[in-house]
Amino acid sequence: MATNTSLTTAEMSSKNTPASAGRQILKQTQFELLLTSRRGENILVTLIIPIMLLIFFASLKVIPAPKGGSAATELLPGILAIAIIAAGMVNLGIATAYERHYGVLKRLGSSPLSRSGLISAKIISILALEIVQVVLLIIVAIAFYGWRPVGSLPIALLALLLGTVTFSALGLAMAGGLRAEMTLAGANALFLVFILLGGGILPLDHLPAPIAALAQLLPAAALTQALQQTMIADQPFPTYPLLLLALWAIIILFVAIRTFKWE
Amino acid sequence: MSAHTQTTTQMAQALQKGSPTIVVGNFSKNYGAHRVVDHLSFSVQPGEVFALLGPNGAGKTTTVETLEGYRAPDEGSIRVLGLDPIRQAQQLKPRIGVMLQQDGLYPALTAREVLRLFAGYYAHPQSVDALLERVGLTAASKTRCRRLSGGQKRRLALAVALIGNPELVFLDEPTAGMDPQARQTTWEIIRELKRSGVTILLTTHLMDEAERLSDQVAIIDHGQLIALDTPENLTGAKNANIVRFVAPEGLDCQQLAALPGVKKAEEVRAGSYVLESDTIPTLLVDLTTWLRDRNVTLSELRVGHGSLEDLFLRLTGSEVRD
């Protein structure tokens, strides 16, 4: 391939046309995924921890399995919620915070890739990561604990989607408003809070009443309950959790848009 | 030297040559109550290397980043390639190459991967491998950016700025943190770009960088334009009438000024003297005699024009702060 170092200005104006938006997003997505795969700590948080939690608690049988059902039936919705929180809040939040810290976001700001292009690529790569998470968790649940799908797939997908919006926006709000170190600490601390107060592993009615009441209002419990009421048989339609989750999604998205700084 | 007159001259030249690549008219910018750029006006012609020279905090980066579309001017107008950098950003961005002060590289990607990513934003990018070779990073192409040295990161940031065949390149302190050899390579690349017709706006606080590379130098301090001309005119290179020498400090400048033909004698820094005369050959004889009579040893003697450094000192009364 020849170098282009001796182009005239006239030749150049045709040489510096941007790639189409679609190709730019495709390229960016490819590298977002490459970067995700290179962050070892993120693989731990997004893939290994949810799978270990599922195996640990399903094998321990601390949570009573429903008659004739498997332990995974009760556990899987909460573990899926934890996986979504890890992918959006912890993984996306911390990665974006450091991209801001290193001036990557600022540099991209004067490249042909638009902000909406960058955000699209990040959304696609988060969805791809979530598909890997969900598929792996379901394979483990089926293979080791005889889990069988019940309930409504569309509603489960709706809950997952709302959860993705909520927790990805929460990660971006932290990344855009806080220093990178604060986002790192904050996202990990909040992740622990959401594991403990999400109601997915430890049922909320085991907690002291005031804490349980507070936990009920948090987005983690809303996502967990929306999935539990969809993926466990004989449960009422999850109207309240879905509405609460949607409300959180709107609030956090609004905050993220208002506070996000690219530099 | 009046900045206003210079600007008017430039505007007149611009009208003759056709549309300038960059036009900055009465641009001001405040951060809170602090005015960082104060009614700055200049224009850059196609194919020109234009240097913004000034100490840190003079307003160079604010000016460049406004031209790149990162911030809006509080006052005045900005046109880059005939476009508004904010409202017409999508048309402008593919045509410019940007090297910020912070390199902005993904730490977890290798040098080669960073270039491949940015190449993907353009329909006809330069060859990644050829560009890596051009900036001297072939051997480091598989090194993650977090392990590159400061100078290597700077060169990669330069390569990123060039990957899309820009017509106009912004280089904010391009050689900061580079060793002398890397600095030479970078200067050679800038000269090559100029030869191929690319317009370049660079900021620097290095006098020799501005002097060697640029067609026009704008000296700014405290956000104001204090001089704008070619390096030759700024330093008076055409009429070599300056003798600079380095000797022990504290020589009697009044006696030096009294030497035949000397118009001015000054100790500009401790032990660094500048004499101005129209009869340089005579002055050299007289000066060396004067020094011998006082048993003073010279450690350096240069005949020629004043440097930009002298000019800067004269214009601002302070040295360029590093």
Side-chain angles (χ1 to χ4, degrees):
Chain A
M1 231 179 289
T3 56
N4 294 327
T5 37
S6 56
L7 288 169
T8 68
T9 315
E11 277 174 304
M12 251 175 303
S13 32
S14 65
K15 281 274 180 188
N16 57 22
T17 45
S20 69
R23 291 185 71 95
Q24 289 183 24
I25 292 170
L26 194 68
K27 182 63 96 176
Q28 188 66 30
T29 306
Q30 182 196 331
F31 277 86
E32 293 286 343
L33 288 170
L34 178 67
L35 286 161
T36 304
S37 74
R38 285 205 179 145
R39 289 189 289 263
E41 68 282 7
N42 275 340
I43 301 298
L44 179 74
V45 170
T46 55
L47 292 175
I48 298 175
I49 286 182
I51 290 172
M52 280 176 52
L53 287 173
L54 177 63
I55 292 174
F56 185 78
F57 285 102
S59 305
L60 262 183
K61 297 186 171 42
V62 277
I63 294 143
K67 281 200 174 64
S70 87
T73 308
E74 294 282 331
L75 265 172
L76 191 61
I79 301 289
L80 285 176
I82 288 169
I84 298 299
I85 294 169
M89 186 183 71
V90 185
N91 160 60
L92 181 66
I94 294 173
T96 309
Y98 276 93
E99 283 169 8
R100 192 166 76 102
H101 175 78
Y102 286 114
V104 174
L105 295 183
K106 181 174 178 179
R107 181 59 192 82
L108 291 177
S110 56
S111 78
L113 180 70
S114 64
R115 286 179 177 185
S116 59
L118 176 64
I119 291 166
S120 305
K122 284 193 179 290
I123 291 171
I124 296 168
S125 50
I126 289 296
L127 292 177
L129 172 63
E130 288 178 351
I131 290 170
V132 175
Q133 290 176 308
V134 171
V135 166
L136 282 179
L137 285 169
I138 286 178
I139 288 174
V140 170
I142 292 174
F144 297 116
Y145 306 104
W147 179 80
R148 291 289 171 270
V150 283
S152 157
L153 181 64
I155 296 169
L157 288 179
L158 174 68
L160 289 174
L161 194 69
L162 278 174
T164 303
V165 173
T166 306
F167 290 101
S168 298
L170 184 55
L172 290 178
M174 295 171 88
L178 304 174
R179 283 190 302 120
E181 299 81 3
M182 286 299 296
T183 304
L184 178 67
N188 281 317
L190 213 49
F191 185 48
L192 186 63
V193 169
F194 286 157
I195 290 179
L196 295 176
L197 298 186
I201 294 171
L202 183 67
L204 289 185
D205 50 25
H206 285 42
L207 295 170
I211 297 177
L214 173 73
Q216 280 289 354
L217 296 174
L218 295 178
L223 173 60
T224 304
Q225 285 166 13
L227 287 170
Q228 282 172 338
Q229 292 182 27
T230 312
M231 296 172 63
I232 299 172
D234 307 323
Q235 292 277 332
F237 186 85
T239 315
Y240 168 76
L242 282 178
L243 281 178
L244 181 61
L245 193 57
L247 184 65
W248 271 115
I250 292 165
I251 292 170
I252 297 173
L253 206 55
F254 181 74
V255 172
I257 291 167
R258 288 296 296 268
T259 61
F260 199 87
K261 288 192 285 292
W262 295 78
E263 290 180 25
Chain B
M1 203 166 317
S2 154
H4 178 72
T5 323
Q6 293 295 347
T7 313
T8 320
T9 320
Q10 271 238 326
M11 293 290 186
Q13 284 171 355
L15 286 171
Q16 280 169 11
K17 288 188 200 166
S19 53
T21 305
I22 296 174
V23 183
V24 174
N26 250 325
F27 161 54
S28 294
K29 182 77 189 173
N30 307 314
Y31 289 146
H34 181 56
R35 173 150 286 200
V36 275
V37 179
D38 193 3
H39 294 98
L40 194 62
S41 295
F42 63 86
S43 62
V44 179
Q45 304 306 319
E48 203 168 66
V49 178
F50 190 99
L52 282 176
L53 177 70
N56 288 338
K60 304 187 299 286
T61 296
T62 302
T63 303
V64 174
E65 292 191 352
T66 307
L67 294 170
E68 290 160 349
Y70 282 105
R71 37 199 118 256
D74 289 333
E75 274 174 60
S77 68
I78 302 263
R79 278 290 174 281
V80 179
L81 294 167
L83 302 167
D84 179 317
I86 290 178
R87 277 188 288 126
Q88 292 167 301
Q90 286 311 111
Q91 288 152 268
L92 181 62
K93 284 174 186 173
R95 299 173 61 189
I96 61 171
V98 170
M99 185 178 179
L100 298 170
Q101 249 180 34
Q102 198 183 8
D103 298 309
L105 306 167
Y106 285 99
L109 293 184
T110 67
R112 196 163 186 285
E113 285 165 346
V114 167
L115 275 180
R116 273 180 46 222
L117 171 63
F118 277 83
Y121 303 149
Y122 301 89
H124 310 288
Q126 291 217 22
S127 149
V128 167
D129 290 323
L131 200 50
L132 278 170
E133 194 176 337
R134 188 67 200 87
V135 298
L137 286 175
T138 304
S141 65
K142 287 182 179 150
T143 307
R144 302 262 171 105
C145 290
R146 70 162 57 90
R147 292 201 178 80
L148 294 175
S149 72
Q152 286 176 319
K153 282 183 197 161
R154 221 60 206 118
R155 281 181 278 155
L156 181 57
L158 174 63
V160 169
L162 303 181
I163 190 79
N165 301 301
E167 294 157 60
L168 167 63
V169 179
F170 294 100
L171 307 172
D172 197 355
E173 305 268 353
T175 61
M178 284 186 185
D179 60 43
Q181 201 196 332
R183 183 164 289 165
Q184 285 296 337
T185 309
T186 306
W187 287 351
E188 195 39 55
I189 292 171
I190 292 173
R191 289 191 190 104
E192 249 174 51
L193 285 170
K194 179 183 159 55
R195 279 197 292 277
S196 63
V198 176
T199 310
I200 296 157
L201 186 139
L202 63 91
T203 77
T204 183
H205 59 256
L206 301 174
M207 298 293 169
D208 57 338
E209 188 160 280
E211 207 166 339
R212 278 165 206 235
L213 294 176
S214 43
D215 301 307
Q216 294 278 328
V217 178
I219 300 182
I220 57 175
D221 192 29
H222 300 296
Q224 290 177 323
L225 184 67
I226 55 175
L228 171 61
D229 212 325
T230 62
E232 293 75 25
N233 286 343
L234 285 174
T235 56
K238 282 169 192 158
N239 34 353
N241 61 349
I242 300 261
V243 171
R244 301 157 57 85
F245 67 93
V246 179
E249 57 186 277
L251 297 181
D252 188 341
C253 284
Q254 282 187 340
Q255 282 189 28
L256 284 168
L259 291 173
V262 172
K263 294 196 286 194
K264 205 169 134 198
E266 218 181 330
E267 184 173 0
V268 287
R269 275 185 301 279
S272 182
Y273 301 84
V274 175
L275 302 183
E276 210 179 305
S277 165
D278 288 334
T279 51
I280 295 287
T282 329
L283 172 61
L284 287 177
V285 176
D286 292 338
L287 174 65
T288 44
T289 312
W290 188 88
L291 291 166
R292 185 202 59 194
D293 293 348
R294 280 153 192 78
N295 224 348
V296 173
T297 314
L298 278 178
S299 50
E300 197 186 309
L301 177 68
R302 262 173 59 199
V303 180
H305 53 83
S307 68
L308 276 176
E309 206 149 358
D310 299 330
L311 177 74
F312 192 85
L313 206 63
R314 230 169 43 232
L315 290 172
T316 66
S318 65
E319 294 196 40
V320 174
R321 305 174 282 265
D322 251 70

